[in-house]
Amino acid sequence: MKLSDLQQWRERAVRDVSLRGERRAWRIVISMGTSGIAAGARDVMRAIMDEIERQELECVEVSLTGSLGMDDFEPVLRVEHAGEEVVYGRLTPDAARRIIAEHVRQGRKVERYVIGLPKERE
Amino acid sequence: MDEIALHILDLAVNAVSAGARRVTIAVTEDLAQDRLVVRVADDGKGMDAQHLDAVVERFASEKTGRRRPIALGLALLRQTAEQCGGEMRVESAPGQGTQVEVWMRHGHINRPPLGRRDETIFALCLGAPGVAVEFTHCRNGTVTHFDSAAVCQQLGPGASLQSPEGIRAVREALESKR
């Protein structure tokens, strides 16, 4: 291991802490059933992944699921954090980037795309 | 669905939902034989004959009164194949995984374009990082091959595809094959 590796490692650790998160504190579930895919879920997924890479976010876990059952609002995704769930719909890649920038990074929901009320998990 | 790559993503998501650990996708374009063949095989939980009928026959699954027909995508893909002079075959059994094979006439006027193949691979192997995704594209004898397990190995033990480095590695692996 070189000194530069250690420095990189430290920078990443500092960044992670500054995201007030333990690792994987955020979970994003993308609806990828037939209607989601037809409506553009693949591009939404791409936008999320591009942001995770670009902003070096270690705190986000992403998964795809068959369908979240909200076909009329596709593309749809659900953000889960600290027991709270928010469902966003009628998304575009730009909307997905905003969800990362505003909701995940600043804790501020992107109201314009919210379709499901936050639900406290048991 | 205006891209074959989107149909492939749909089939692969079914495989992930069926608990597959490995999804093997092959696209073969044979212009001399005027054929485009897509094969998606998984080692998921599989379906019994009744379930299989229901997902392949869209109308059958509508008759059961389900509000959301399951795997509507398979019925759509079959329709597309048949409109392009081809057909779809699905083999599946409980515990045996599922294999979908569809072929169509390559030059048929109704055939959708293959579309953004790499976007499909990217979304699939990063959206389901626990599933090994293998994609082989053969076009007139030229073969492009992608295996998410190889990218994982290159990242080293304990590393996740779903991390900034993992995403970068998948992106670069796909870009290097263009």
Side-chain angles (χ1 to χ4, degrees), chain A residues 23-120:
Chain A
R23 228 174 128 78
R24 308 296 197 198
W26 293 81
R27 184 154 184 263
I28 298 178
V29 182
I30 303 182
S31 174
M32 281 241 179
T34 305
S35 53
I37 290 171
R42 186 180 62 180
D43 291 342
V44 166
M45 165 81 82
R46 177 81 196 201
I48 300 270
M49 292 300 173
D50 283 351
E51 288 309 292
I52 291 175
E53 182 191 346
R54 197 174 62 82
Q55 302 188 34
E56 299 280 349
L57 301 176
E58 300 276 2
C59 61
V60 185
E61 179 194 331
V62 180
S63 64
L64 55 79
T65 182
S67 168
L68 289 174
M70 307 185 102
D71 290 6
D72 295 345
F73 300 92
E74 297 282 2
V76 168
L77 63 76
R78 185 173 68 221
V79 176
E80 303 173 4
H81 176 66
E84 188 186 68
E85 296 185 353
V86 180
V87 180
Y88 289 103
R90 297 202 173 105
L91 295 169
T92 60
D94 262 340
R97 282 187 279 271
R98 279 187 62 189
I99 289 167
I100 296 288
E102 296 173 30
H103 190 164
V104 174
R105 301 219 57 168
Q106 296 170 37
R108 200 174 69 232
K109 291 175 198 111
V110 187
E111 300 290 349
R112 196 182 145 192
Y113 297 99
V114 173
I115 56 169
L117 292 173
K119 184 174 80 187
E120 293 297 325

Side-chain angles (χ1 to χ4, degrees), chain A residues 6-35:
Chain A
L6 280 169
Q7 275 164 345
Q8 248 179 1
W9 190 72
R10 181 179 179 280
E11 277 164 25
R12 173 162 310 140
V14 168
R15 205 160 41 218
D16 282 353
V17 170
S18 72
L19 276 166
R20 73 194 140 94
E22 14 7 322
R23 228 174 128 78
R24 308 296 197 198
W26 293 81
R27 184 154 184 263
I28 298 178
V29 182
I30 303 182
S31 174
M32 281 241 179
T34 305
S35 53

